[in-house]
Amino acid sequence: MNKVVLVTGSAKGIGAAIIKELASCGYDCVINYHTSESEAYALNEEIKKYNIRSLVIKCDVSNEEEVDNMFNIIEAKLGGVDILINNAAVDIPNIFSHKKVEDFKLTLDVNLIGAFLTAKRAERHILDKKWGRIINISSTNGMNTYYPMGIEYDASKAALNSLTHNLAIEFAPYATVNAIAPGLINTENEIKDYDEEFMQMELDKILVRRIGEASEVAKLVKFLISDDASYINNTIIRIDGGQYNSI
């Protein structure tokens, strides 16, 4: 039986790239979306060529009842989640004086609480099987590359890194828990509002002098969930082309 992977927020961007990569390797895939319904079902059609089992499930990962229902569906139809990729995230950039408390809370609810809820719900299956993988998609913004217009996003990703370390202890020795921290990645949500001057400024901070691709993040995920990475645990791995903060 193929291992079952749930990728939250996987209708577009990095999440969709992860689904495509893992489906091509024979993993059974659960595509989770909240608002991007048409993209989620289009992705599901695309991966059918790999002859794997797949599901599309709408779920707000910040809602405990919806998360529980999503896992109930997966367990009933596919047996349970062996590999959890916490990718769902929101980013609401704005100048500091215009920041709203509700936007800060929403960002924490999705980016941090969502990862907590899915990991908590995945625990029973992973402990029963005595095997599992959890990968949290963090960001260099949660480490030492900061962007004040996204202050709540940065805070959520820093907290996600802390959550990763605690989950690694909680799930030991049966599951490895790691986080991946991408830098500037070529997705619609990442670069749609950047002008040419800003993009050049950011590229100048990247040692390889180019933007990353979602497929490159997906390949790192593929390695970390493989048996070849079974001794990599409790760590945050940057994938950013050697990005540094010049501020």
Side-chain angles (χ1 to χ4, degrees), residues 164-193:
T164 299
H165 295 309
N166 280 291
L167 289 178
I169 297 169
E170 176 64 27
F171 278 79
Y174 303 119
T176 62
V177 184
N178 295 289
I180 292 173
L184 192 61
I185 303 297
N186 185 22
T187 65
E188 179 184 353
N189 286 344
E190 176 79 28
I191 65 173
K192 65 179 180 179
D193 295 324

Side-chain angles (χ1 to χ4, degrees), residues 115-126:
F116 161 73
L117 290 175
T118 56
K120 188 170 183 288
R121 188 58 179 78
E123 184 179 33
R124 65 182 72 167
H125 177 78
I126 288 174

Side-chain angles (χ1 to χ4, degrees), residues 2 7 19 22 32-34 71 77 118 145 216 228:
N2 296 340
V7 184
I19 289 286
L22 300 189
N32 159 247
Y33 75 96
H34 185 211
F71 274 82
K77 295 189 175 182
T118 56
T145 303
E216 294 177 296
D228 290 335

Side-chain angles (χ1 to χ4, degrees), residues 112-149:
L112 178 63
I113 302 302
F116 161 73
L117 290 175
T118 56
K120 188 170 183 288
R121 188 58 179 78
E123 184 179 33
R124 65 182 72 167
H125 177 78
I126 288 174
L127 294 186
D128 180 58
K129 296 295 183 182
K130 293 183 169 53
W131 190 95
R133 296 282 190 269
I134 297 176
I135 298 178
N136 296 321
I137 305 299
S138 183
S139 171
T140 55
N141 286 54
M143 302 173 76
N144 62 353
T145 303
Y146 305 112
Y147 184 48
M149 286 188 68

